[in-house]
Amino acid sequence: MMIDGIDMLPGRAEYPRNQWYVAAFGFEVTEKPLHRMLFGDPVVLYRTPDGTPVALFDRCPHRGMRLSNGGTVIGDDIQCNYHGIRFNPEGKACLIPSGGAPTSAMSVRRYPLVEISGWIWAWAGDPAKADPALLPDHEEMGVTAPGFHSYFGLCLPGESNYLYSLENLVDATHITFLHHGMIDAGNVASHPYRCTQQGTKVRMEREFSDEPVPPMIKLAMQIKGDRVDRVLDLWSYAPHAVVVRQTFADTSDPSMEPRDARIVFGITPAGPKSCYQFAVVVQNYPSVRAEFLLDDFRRLLMEDVVALNDIQQLFDQLEPDRVPEVSVRADEGAIRTRRLIAAQIRAEREMVAEAAE
């Protein structure tokens, strides 16, 4: 699917560079270098002694070794394990043990970072254009909202284009069929919805009255009764985040405070055909099964990952004229999100063209 000259067909969809993407959970980044492929780049992440996270291009320009491959953090700097060249947090060489003054060529790219709650966001594009205003509203998503409990640590790598993951989360109609009733009473696909858009946020909302509550949801949400009023609310923030929000009111116990349970996803392209879903479970009540919570959701969400990996594999095997895409009415949220992402990519291209003139 081409939108204003931008290829937005899932399987090979482009993504904007002048945007923030989740690079890691905060607990993953320590004084020990961490390697991660992010938006097509090898990246090394580490922390300085004062706790500041750093992200650099993970390749020493001297002879090409990954800085994360046995590299050592010394003070604020990282030392290559091959010839001992050190790079400071700005990516500039600050020590060459074999002699000679560091030159501007002996440097690596730096990625601006913002750490919010348990997430570390990295800027994929031009560092000079890094704009914190482009980050999604973490309080609105629930991650930093007062009265909510956040459980970080669920990372789901996928071997599929990032847009598959993003649109899978925006589209609730697969829930009944792919997850076999584990989290749904079986009526999502045919249920009416409202689709609204505000800025880069697209919202797909469905309301259900007095429906049976599936066993997994009953356990996870700590609901005593067997029937609930439910709202299923999906928000996408183009191009990098999705909130899957469900609210439950126990119809047999009006005195129970309604449950507000969310899974908030940071969607990060690792490359053209690979991605990460960095997920945090957010609830307006403490979990009595906190030690099992992420494992429960991992088992559920891996069904999506396996399906999307298979879709990508088949997409790659077939010729372009044999992978048509036919959308249905319920794809409205996904199509709106595609158009927003395409507009972001178009704006980048126009900016580059203007700078070249």
Side-chain angles (χ1 to χ4, degrees), residues 280-333:
V280 52
V281 178
V282 178
Q283 303 174 159
N284 69 341
Y285 58 95
S287 176
V288 296
R289 303 178 70 254
E291 66 272 29
F292 306 112
L293 186 65
L294 296 183
D295 286 339
D296 289 345
F297 279 108
R298 182 184 300 278
R299 283 190 289 272
L300 173 71
L301 295 170
M302 278 304 299
E303 293 184 336
D304 299 270
V305 172
V306 170
L308 299 179
N309 289 354
D310 184 67
I311 291 169
Q312 180 72 59
Q313 185 177 41
L314 183 58
F315 180 93
D316 294 339
Q317 290 173 351
L318 297 174
E319 297 298 321
D321 62 351
R322 300 182 67 194
V323 289
E325 181 189 62
V326 182
S327 295
V328 298
R329 181 174 178 273
D331 295 316
E332 180 180 357

Short mmCIF file of all heavy atoms in Angstrom, two decimals, residues 280-333:
data_model
loop_
_atom_site.label_atom_id
_atom_site.label_comp_id
_atom_site.label_asym_id
_atom_site.label_seq_id
_atom_site.Cartn_x
_atom_site.Cartn_y
_atom_site.Cartn_z
N VAL A 280 4.57 -3.10 29.18
CA VAL A 280 4.40 -2.90 30.62
C VAL A 280 2.93 -3.10 30.95
O VAL A 280 2.06 -2.60 30.24
CB VAL A 280 4.90 -1.50 31.06
CG1 VAL A 280 4.26 -0.40 30.22
CG2 VAL A 280 4.59 -1.26 32.53
N VAL A 281 2.66 -3.87 31.99
CA VAL A 281 1.30 -4.07 32.46
C VAL A 281 0.99 -2.99 33.48
O VAL A 281 1.76 -2.78 34.43
CB VAL A 281 1.13 -5.47 33.08
CG1 VAL A 281 -0.29 -5.65 33.61
CG2 VAL A 281 1.46 -6.56 32.05
N VAL A 282 -0.10 -2.29 33.27
CA VAL A 282 -0.49 -1.15 34.13
C VAL A 282 -1.90 -1.40 34.64
O VAL A 282 -2.81 -1.70 33.87
CB VAL A 282 -0.43 0.16 33.33
CG1 VAL A 282 -0.87 1.33 34.21
CG2 VAL A 282 0.96 0.42 32.78
N GLN A 283 -2.08 -1.27 35.96
CA GLN A 283 -3.38 -1.55 36.57
C GLN A 283 -3.68 -0.54 37.67
O GLN A 283 -2.76 -0.03 38.31
CB GLN A 283 -3.39 -2.96 37.19
CG GLN A 283 -3.05 -4.07 36.21
CD GLN A 283 -2.90 -5.43 36.87
OE1 GLN A 283 -3.02 -6.45 36.21
NE2 GLN A 283 -2.63 -5.47 38.17
N ASN A 284 -4.97 -0.28 37.90
CA ASN A 284 -5.34 0.63 38.98
C ASN A 284 -5.54 -0.12 40.29
O ASN A 284 -6.20 0.37 41.21
CB ASN A 284 -6.60 1.43 38.63
CG ASN A 284 -7.85 0.58 38.57
OD1 ASN A 284 -7.78 -0.65 38.45
ND2 ASN A 284 -9.01 1.22 38.66
N TYR A 285 -4.97 -1.30 40.38
CA TYR A 285 -5.01 -2.10 41.60
C TYR A 285 -3.74 -2.95 41.63
O TYR A 285 -3.19 -3.31 40.58
CB TYR A 285 -6.25 -3.01 41.62
CG TYR A 285 -6.31 -3.94 40.43
CD1 TYR A 285 -5.82 -5.24 40.49
CD2 TYR A 285 -6.82 -3.50 39.20
CE1 TYR A 285 -5.85 -6.10 39.40
CE2 TYR A 285 -6.86 -4.34 38.10
CZ TYR A 285 -6.37 -5.62 38.20
OH TYR A 285 -6.40 -6.44 37.11
N PRO A 286 -3.22 -3.28 42.81
CA PRO A 286 -2.01 -4.10 42.87
C PRO A 286 -2.33 -5.55 42.52
O PRO A 286 -3.39 -6.07 42.87
CB PRO A 286 -1.56 -3.97 44.32
CG PRO A 286 -2.81 -3.66 45.08
CD PRO A 286 -3.66 -2.84 44.14
N SER A 287 -1.42 -6.20 41.82
CA SER A 287 -1.63 -7.59 41.45
C SER A 287 -1.28 -8.51 42.61
O SER A 287 -0.23 -8.35 43.25
CB SER A 287 -0.76 -7.95 40.24
OG SER A 287 -0.89 -9.32 39.93
N VAL A 288 -2.14 -9.48 42.86
CA VAL A 288 -1.84 -10.47 43.91
C VAL A 288 -0.98 -11.60 43.34
O VAL A 288 -0.53 -12.46 44.08
CB VAL A 288 -3.14 -11.05 44.51
CG1 VAL A 288 -3.92 -9.96 45.22
CG2 VAL A 288 -3.98 -11.74 43.44
N ARG A 289 -0.77 -11.55 42.03
CA ARG A 289 0.06 -12.56 41.36
C ARG A 289 1.19 -11.88 40.59
O ARG A 289 1.52 -12.25 39.47
CB ARG A 289 -0.78 -13.41 40.40
CG ARG A 289 -1.96 -14.10 41.05
CD ARG A 289 -2.79 -14.90 40.04
NE ARG A 289 -2.08 -16.08 39.57
CZ ARG A 289 -1.54 -16.19 38.36
NH1 ARG A 289 -1.58 -15.16 37.51
NH2 ARG A 289 -0.94 -17.31 37.98
N ALA A 290 1.79 -10.87 41.21
CA ALA A 290 2.78 -10.07 40.50
C ALA A 290 3.92 -10.91 39.95
O ALA A 290 4.43 -10.65 38.85
CB ALA A 290 3.33 -8.98 41.43
N GLU A 291 4.32 -11.95 40.67
CA GLU A 291 5.45 -12.77 40.23
C GLU A 291 5.11 -13.61 39.00
O GLU A 291 6.00 -14.09 38.30
CB GLU A 291 5.94 -13.66 41.36
CG GLU A 291 4.97 -14.74 41.82
CD GLU A 291 4.01 -14.29 42.90
OE1 GLU A 291 3.68 -13.08 42.93
OE2 GLU A 291 3.57 -15.12 43.71
N PHE A 292 3.81 -13.80 38.73
CA PHE A 292 3.38 -14.58 37.57
C PHE A 292 2.78 -13.72 36.46
O PHE A 292 2.54 -14.22 35.36
CB PHE A 292 2.33 -15.63 37.99
CG PHE A 292 2.77 -16.52 39.12
CD1 PHE A 292 2.17 -16.43 40.36
CD2 PHE A 292 3.79 -17.44 38.94
CE1 PHE A 292 2.57 -17.24 41.41
CE2 PHE A 292 4.19 -18.27 39.97
CZ PHE A 292 3.59 -18.17 41.21
N LEU A 293 2.54 -12.46 36.76
CA LEU A 293 1.77 -11.61 35.86
C LEU A 293 2.39 -11.53 34.46
O LEU A 293 1.71 -11.76 33.45
CB LEU A 293 1.65 -10.20 36.46
CG LEU A 293 0.75 -9.23 35.71
CD1 LEU A 293 -0.69 -9.69 35.76
CD2 LEU A 293 0.88 -7.82 36.32
N LEU A 294 3.67 -11.22 34.38
CA LEU A 294 4.31 -11.06 33.08
C LEU A 294 4.39 -12.39 32.33
O LEU A 294 4.26 -12.43 31.11
CB LEU A 294 5.70 -10.45 33.25
CG LEU A 294 5.73 -9.02 33.81
CD1 LEU A 294 7.16 -8.50 33.86
CD2 LEU A 294 4.86 -8.08 32.99
N ASP A 295 4.61 -13.48 33.06
CA ASP A 295 4.65 -14.79 32.41
C ASP A 295 3.29 -15.14 31.81
O ASP A 295 3.21 -15.72 30.72
CB ASP A 295 5.08 -15.88 33.39
CG ASP A 295 6.56 -15.82 33.71
OD1 ASP A 295 7.32 -15.24 32.91
OD2 ASP A 295 6.96 -16.36 34.76
N ASP A 296 2.21 -14.80 32.52
CA ASP A 296 0.87 -15.06 32.01
C ASP A 296 0.65 -14.32 30.69
O ASP A 296 0.16 -14.89 29.70
CB ASP A 296 -0.19 -14.63 33.02
CG ASP A 296 -0.25 -15.54 34.25
OD1 ASP A 296 0.32 -16.64 34.18
OD2 ASP A 296 -0.84 -15.12 35.26
N PHE A 297 1.02 -13.05 30.68
CA PHE A 297 0.81 -12.26 29.47
C PHE A 297 1.78 -12.66 28.36
O PHE A 297 1.46 -12.57 27.18
CB PHE A 297 0.93 -10.77 29.79
CG PHE A 297 -0.32 -10.18 30.39
CD1 PHE A 297 -0.36 -9.83 31.72
CD2 PHE A 297 -1.46 -10.02 29.62
CE1 PHE A 297 -1.52 -9.30 32.29
CE2 PHE A 297 -2.61 -9.50 30.17
CZ PHE A 297 -2.65 -9.14 31.51
N ARG A 298 2.98 -13.11 28.74
CA ARG A 298 3.92 -13.57 27.72
C ARG A 298 3.33 -14.76 26.95
O ARG A 298 3.41 -14.81 25.72
CB ARG A 298 5.25 -13.97 28.35
CG ARG A 298 6.31 -14.41 27.31
CD ARG A 298 7.58 -14.89 28.00
NE ARG A 298 8.17 -13.86 28.80
CZ ARG A 298 8.96 -12.88 28.33
NH1 ARG A 298 9.24 -12.85 27.03
NH2 ARG A 298 9.45 -11.97 29.13
N ARG A 299 2.76 -15.71 27.67
CA ARG A 299 2.17 -16.88 27.01
C ARG A 299 1.05 -16.45 26.05
O ARG A 299 0.92 -16.99 24.94
CB ARG A 299 1.64 -17.86 28.05
CG ARG A 299 2.74 -18.67 28.73
CD ARG A 299 2.13 -19.79 29.56
NE ARG A 299 1.47 -19.28 30.75
CZ ARG A 299 2.08 -19.08 31.91
NH1 ARG A 299 3.37 -19.34 32.03
NH2 ARG A 299 1.41 -18.62 32.96
N LEU A 300 0.26 -15.48 26.47
CA LEU A 300 -0.83 -15.00 25.63
C LEU A 300 -0.29 -14.28 24.40
O LEU A 300 -0.68 -14.57 23.26
CB LEU A 300 -1.72 -14.06 26.44
CG LEU A 300 -2.81 -13.34 25.65
CD1 LEU A 300 -3.90 -14.31 25.24
CD2 LEU A 300 -3.40 -12.19 26.48
N LEU A 301 0.63 -13.34 24.60
CA LEU A 301 1.11 -12.49 23.51
C LEU A 301 2.03 -13.23 22.55
O LEU A 301 2.18 -12.81 21.40
CB LEU A 301 1.81 -11.27 24.09
CG LEU A 301 0.89 -10.32 24.89
CD1 LEU A 301 1.71 -9.27 25.62
CD2 LEU A 301 -0.14 -9.66 23.97
N MET A 302 2.63 -14.32 22.99
CA MET A 302 3.46 -15.10 22.08
C MET A 302 2.63 -15.72 20.96
O MET A 302 3.15 -16.02 19.89
CB MET A 302 4.24 -16.18 22.83
CG MET A 302 5.52 -15.68 23.51
SD MET A 302 6.67 -14.88 22.36
CE MET A 302 7.01 -16.24 21.22
N GLU A 303 1.33 -15.90 21.19
CA GLU A 303 0.47 -16.38 20.11
C GLU A 303 0.47 -15.36 18.96
O GLU A 303 0.47 -15.74 17.79
CB GLU A 303 -0.95 -16.62 20.62
CG GLU A 303 -1.04 -17.77 21.61
CD GLU A 303 -2.47 -18.07 22.04
OE1 GLU A 303 -3.32 -17.16 21.95
OE2 GLU A 303 -2.74 -19.21 22.46
N ASP A 304 0.47 -14.07 19.31
CA ASP A 304 0.54 -13.03 18.28
C ASP A 304 1.89 -13.06 17.58
O ASP A 304 1.97 -12.96 16.35
CB ASP A 304 0.32 -11.66 18.92
CG ASP A 304 -1.03 -11.52 19.58
OD1 ASP A 304 -1.97 -11.11 18.89
OD2 ASP A 304 -1.14 -11.84 20.77
N VAL A 305 2.97 -13.16 18.35
CA VAL A 305 4.32 -13.13 17.78
C VAL A 305 4.49 -14.28 16.78
O VAL A 305 5.01 -14.09 15.67
CB VAL A 305 5.38 -13.19 18.88
CG1 VAL A 305 6.78 -13.35 18.28
CG2 VAL A 305 5.33 -11.94 19.75
N VAL A 306 4.08 -15.48 17.18
CA VAL A 306 4.22 -16.64 16.30
C VAL A 306 3.43 -16.43 15.01
O VAL A 306 3.91 -16.73 13.91
CB VAL A 306 3.76 -17.92 17.03
CG1 VAL A 306 3.66 -19.09 16.06
CG2 VAL A 306 4.73 -18.26 18.16
N ALA A 307 2.22 -15.91 15.13
CA ALA A 307 1.39 -15.68 13.95
C ALA A 307 2.02 -14.64 13.03
O ALA A 307 2.06 -14.83 11.80
CB ALA A 307 -0.01 -15.23 14.38
N LEU A 308 2.52 -13.54 13.59
CA LEU A 308 3.09 -12.47 12.77
C LEU A 308 4.39 -12.92 12.11
O LEU A 308 4.67 -12.55 10.95
CB LEU A 308 3.32 -11.23 13.62
CG LEU A 308 2.06 -10.62 14.24
CD1 LEU A 308 2.41 -9.40 15.08
CD2 LEU A 308 1.03 -10.26 13.18
N ASN A 309 5.19 -13.72 12.82
CA ASN A 309 6.41 -14.25 12.20
C ASN A 309 6.06 -15.11 10.99
O ASN A 309 6.75 -15.07 9.96
CB ASN A 309 7.20 -15.09 13.22
CG ASN A 309 7.85 -14.24 14.30
OD1 ASN A 309 7.83 -13.01 14.25
ND2 ASN A 309 8.44 -14.90 15.28
N ASP A 310 5.01 -15.91 11.12
CA ASP A 310 4.60 -16.77 10.02
C ASP A 310 4.08 -15.95 8.84
O ASP A 310 4.36 -16.25 7.68
CB ASP A 310 3.51 -17.74 10.51
CG ASP A 310 3.10 -18.73 9.44
OD1 ASP A 310 3.93 -19.58 9.06
OD2 ASP A 310 1.95 -18.65 8.97
N ILE A 311 3.34 -14.89 9.15
CA ILE A 311 2.83 -14.01 8.09
C ILE A 311 3.98 -13.37 7.33
O ILE A 311 3.98 -13.29 6.09
CB ILE A 311 1.91 -12.93 8.69
CG1 ILE A 311 0.61 -13.58 9.21
CG2 ILE A 311 1.59 -11.85 7.68
CD1 ILE A 311 -0.25 -12.67 10.04
N GLN A 312 5.01 -12.89 8.06
CA GLN A 312 6.17 -12.28 7.41
C GLN A 312 6.92 -13.29 6.55
O GLN A 312 7.35 -12.97 5.44
CB GLN A 312 7.12 -11.70 8.47
CG GLN A 312 8.36 -11.04 7.90
CD GLN A 312 8.06 -9.71 7.22
OE1 GLN A 312 7.54 -8.80 7.85
NE2 GLN A 312 8.38 -9.60 5.94
N GLN A 313 7.07 -14.50 7.07
CA GLN A 313 7.80 -15.52 6.32
C GLN A 313 7.11 -15.82 4.99
O GLN A 313 7.77 -15.93 3.94
CB GLN A 313 7.92 -16.80 7.15
CG GLN A 313 8.77 -17.88 6.51
CD GLN A 313 8.91 -19.10 7.40
OE1 GLN A 313 7.96 -19.54 8.05
NE2 GLN A 313 10.11 -19.66 7.44
N LEU A 314 5.79 -15.95 5.02
CA LEU A 314 5.06 -16.21 3.78
C LEU A 314 5.13 -15.01 2.84
O LEU A 314 5.28 -15.16 1.62
CB LEU A 314 3.61 -16.56 4.09
CG LEU A 314 2.72 -16.93 2.89
CD1 LEU A 314 3.30 -18.12 2.13
CD2 LEU A 314 1.30 -17.21 3.34
N PHE A 315 5.03 -13.82 3.40
CA PHE A 315 5.14 -12.59 2.60
C PHE A 315 6.47 -12.57 1.84
O PHE A 315 6.53 -12.22 0.66
CB PHE A 315 5.04 -11.37 3.52
CG PHE A 315 5.14 -10.05 2.82
CD1 PHE A 315 4.00 -9.39 2.39
CD2 PHE A 315 6.38 -9.44 2.60
CE1 PHE A 315 4.09 -8.16 1.74
CE2 PHE A 315 6.47 -8.22 1.96
CZ PHE A 315 5.32 -7.57 1.53
N ASP A 316 7.55 -12.96 2.51
CA ASP A 316 8.88 -12.95 1.89
C ASP A 316 9.02 -14.03 0.82
O ASP A 316 9.81 -13.88 -0.12
CB ASP A 316 9.96 -13.14 2.95
CG ASP A 316 10.05 -11.97 3.91
OD1 ASP A 316 9.58 -10.87 3.55
OD2 ASP A 316 10.58 -12.15 5.03
N GLN A 317 8.29 -15.10 0.96
CA GLN A 317 8.42 -16.23 0.03
C GLN A 317 7.71 -15.97 -1.30
O GLN A 317 8.10 -16.53 -2.33
CB GLN A 317 7.88 -17.51 0.66
CG GLN A 317 8.73 -18.06 1.78
CD GLN A 317 8.07 -19.24 2.49
OE1 GLN A 317 6.90 -19.53 2.26
NE2 GLN A 317 8.81 -19.90 3.37
N LEU A 318 6.67 -15.14 -1.26
CA LEU A 318 5.85 -14.93 -2.45
C LEU A 318 6.30 -13.71 -3.25
O LEU A 318 6.88 -12.77 -2.70
CB LEU A 318 4.39 -14.75 -2.04
CG LEU A 318 3.74 -15.97 -1.35
CD1 LEU A 318 2.35 -15.61 -0.87
CD2 LEU A 318 3.69 -17.16 -2.30
N GLU A 319 6.00 -13.73 -4.53
CA GLU A 319 6.29 -12.58 -5.39
C GLU A 319 5.36 -11.42 -5.03
O GLU A 319 4.24 -11.64 -4.52
CB GLU A 319 6.11 -12.96 -6.86
CG GLU A 319 7.06 -14.03 -7.34
CD GLU A 319 8.52 -13.57 -7.26
OE1 GLU A 319 8.78 -12.38 -7.56
OE2 GLU A 319 9.37 -14.39 -6.88
N PRO A 320 5.80 -10.17 -5.26
CA PRO A 320 4.98 -9.01 -4.88
C PRO A 320 3.55 -9.04 -5.40
O PRO A 320 2.63 -8.59 -4.70
CB PRO A 320 5.77 -7.84 -5.49
CG PRO A 320 7.18 -8.30 -5.49
CD PRO A 320 7.11 -9.78 -5.80
N ASP A 321 3.33 -9.59 -6.63
CA ASP A 321 1.98 -9.61 -7.16
C ASP A 321 1.11 -10.69 -6.55
O ASP A 321 -0.07 -10.82 -6.88
CB ASP A 321 2.01 -9.76 -8.69
CG ASP A 321 2.64 -11.07 -9.14
OD1 ASP A 321 3.22 -11.78 -8.29
OD2 ASP A 321 2.56 -11.39 -10.34
N ARG A 322 1.70 -11.48 -5.63
CA ARG A 322 0.94 -12.55 -4.99
C ARG A 322 0.66 -12.26 -3.52
O ARG A 322 0.25 -13.14 -2.78
CB ARG A 322 1.68 -13.88 -5.13
CG ARG A 322 1.91 -14.29 -6.60
CD ARG A 322 2.59 -15.64 -6.67
NE ARG A 322 1.73 -16.71 -6.18
CZ ARG A 322 2.17 -17.94 -5.88
NH1 ARG A 322 3.46 -18.23 -6.00
NH2 ARG A 322 1.32 -18.86 -5.46
N VAL A 323 0.90 -11.02 -3.09
CA VAL A 323 0.63 -10.66 -1.69
C VAL A 323 -0.32 -9.46 -1.64
O VAL A 323 0.00 -8.42 -1.05
CB VAL A 323 1.93 -10.37 -0.90
CG1 VAL A 323 2.69 -11.64 -0.65
CG2 VAL A 323 2.80 -9.35 -1.64
N PRO A 324 -1.50 -9.59 -2.25
CA PRO A 324 -2.45 -8.48 -2.17
C PRO A 324 -2.93 -8.29 -0.74
O PRO A 324 -2.91 -9.21 0.07
CB PRO A 324 -3.59 -8.93 -3.07
CG PRO A 324 -3.56 -10.42 -2.99
CD PRO A 324 -2.08 -10.77 -2.92
N GLU A 325 -3.35 -7.07 -0.44
CA GLU A 325 -3.92 -6.79 0.87
C GLU A 325 -5.31 -6.21 0.66
O GLU A 325 -5.47 -5.20 -0.02
CB GLU A 325 -3.05 -5.80 1.64
CG GLU A 325 -3.62 -5.51 3.02
CD GLU A 325 -2.90 -4.36 3.71
OE1 GLU A 325 -2.95 -3.24 3.17
OE2 GLU A 325 -2.31 -4.60 4.77
N VAL A 326 -6.29 -6.85 1.25
CA VAL A 326 -7.67 -6.40 1.14
C VAL A 326 -8.15 -6.07 2.55
O VAL A 326 -8.20 -6.93 3.43
CB VAL A 326 -8.57 -7.49 0.51
CG1 VAL A 326 -10.00 -6.97 0.37
CG2 VAL A 326 -8.02 -7.92 -0.84
N SER A 327 -8.50 -4.82 2.78
CA SER A 327 -8.91 -4.39 4.11
C SER A 327 -10.42 -4.49 4.29
O SER A 327 -11.18 -4.52 3.30
CB SER A 327 -8.45 -2.95 4.37
OG SER A 327 -7.04 -2.87 4.38
N VAL A 328 -10.85 -4.52 5.56
CA VAL A 328 -12.27 -4.55 5.89
C VAL A 328 -12.57 -3.33 6.77
O VAL A 328 -11.67 -2.58 7.16
CB VAL A 328 -12.65 -5.86 6.63
CG1 VAL A 328 -12.41 -7.06 5.73
CG2 VAL A 328 -11.86 -6.01 7.93
N ARG A 329 -13.82 -3.15 7.08
CA ARG A 329 -14.25 -1.94 7.80
C ARG A 329 -13.52 -1.78 9.13
O ARG A 329 -13.12 -0.67 9.50
CB ARG A 329 -15.76 -2.00 8.04
CG ARG A 329 -16.31 -0.78 8.75
CD ARG A 329 -17.84 -0.82 8.83
NE ARG A 329 -18.37 0.33 9.55
CZ ARG A 329 -18.52 0.37 10.87
NH1 ARG A 329 -18.20 -0.68 11.61
NH2 ARG A 329 -18.99 1.46 11.45
N ALA A 330 -13.30 -2.88 9.84
CA ALA A 330 -12.69 -2.80 11.17
C ALA A 330 -11.21 -2.43 11.12
O ALA A 330 -10.60 -2.23 12.17
CB ALA A 330 -12.86 -4.14 11.90
N ASP A 331 -10.64 -2.33 9.92
CA ASP A 331 -9.24 -1.90 9.78
C ASP A 331 -9.11 -0.38 9.80
O ASP A 331 -8.01 0.14 9.55
CB ASP A 331 -8.66 -2.45 8.48
CG ASP A 331 -8.57 -3.97 8.46
OD1 ASP A 331 -8.15 -4.53 9.48
OD2 ASP A 331 -8.93 -4.57 7.44
N GLU A 332 -10.16 0.32 10.10
CA GLU A 332 -10.14 1.77 10.05
C GLU A 332 -9.02 2.36 10.92
O GLU A 332 -8.28 3.25 10.50
CB GLU A 332 -11.49 2.35 10.49
CG GLU A 332 -11.54 3.86 10.45
CD GLU A 332 -12.88 4.43 10.88
OE1 GLU A 332 -13.81 3.64 11.16
OE2 GLU A 332 -12.99 5.67 10.95
N GLY A 333 -8.87 1.86 12.13
CA GLY A 333 -7.84 2.39 13.02
C GLY A 333 -6.45 2.16 12.46
O GLY A 333 -5.58 3.05 12.54
#
